[in-house]
Amino acid sequence: MRFWMFSADRLPTFIAFGDEKDPKSIFKIPTGDIGKIYPGVRFRGLDVEITNDPVTSKLRERLTWLNTPRGTEVFERDPPGKLRAARDKPLGFLITKSHFFGDGSR
């Protein structure tokens, strides 16, 4: 199982999927608890590189649900009319396919 990172607020948020074929199996890994989920793994730091190179297709090959047509929602959403603050929503209700570089949105 691999994990990915996307930016939320000022600190990185690490996510993983119980089943990479199911986007609804997404869950958040608290940075301090990464070793509990992946024994022997420890978060030590993060480097970010900016490049002009094109986005590779590797992520789309691994997370095949990223290949669904634009506009097709793969993560859970509240029904129409249900309002709640973002801080009260589960992770799967906050993320979209465009959060993944493999979506070609970058």
Side-chain angles (χ1 to χ4, degrees), residues 14-85:
F14 289 92
I15 63 162
F17 297 92
D19 177 0
E20 291 179 355
K21 293 180 175 41
D22 180 8
K24 292 181 175 124
S25 69
I26 191 171
F27 63 95
K28 179 180 176 180
I29 304 170
T31 306
D33 292 340
I34 200 166
K36 290 179 183 175
I37 296 169
Y38 301 103
V41 174
R42 182 175 71 150
F43 179 73
R44 295 185 58 189
L46 176 70
D47 291 324
V48 177
E49 281 188 43
I50 306 294
T51 179
N52 290 326
D53 291 342
V55 175
T56 68
S57 59
K58 296 293 182 192
L59 189 57
R60 284 185 170 281
E61 291 171 11
R62 189 168 188 130
L63 303 177
T64 56
W65 44 265
L66 284 174
N67 297 315
T68 59
R70 284 199 182 270
T72 303
E73 190 53 64
V74 296
F75 293 99
E76 298 177 283
R77 294 291 171 255
D78 281 327
K82 182 172 183 175
L83 300 175
R84 60 180 161 163

Side-chain angles (χ1 to χ4, degrees), residues 6-7 53-55 70 96-106:
F6 70 97
S7 179
D53 291 342
V55 175
R70 284 199 182 270
T96 66
K97 290 189 308 181
S98 66
H99 283 100
F100 294 85
F101 287 97
D103 189 41
S105 61
R106 309 284 190 267

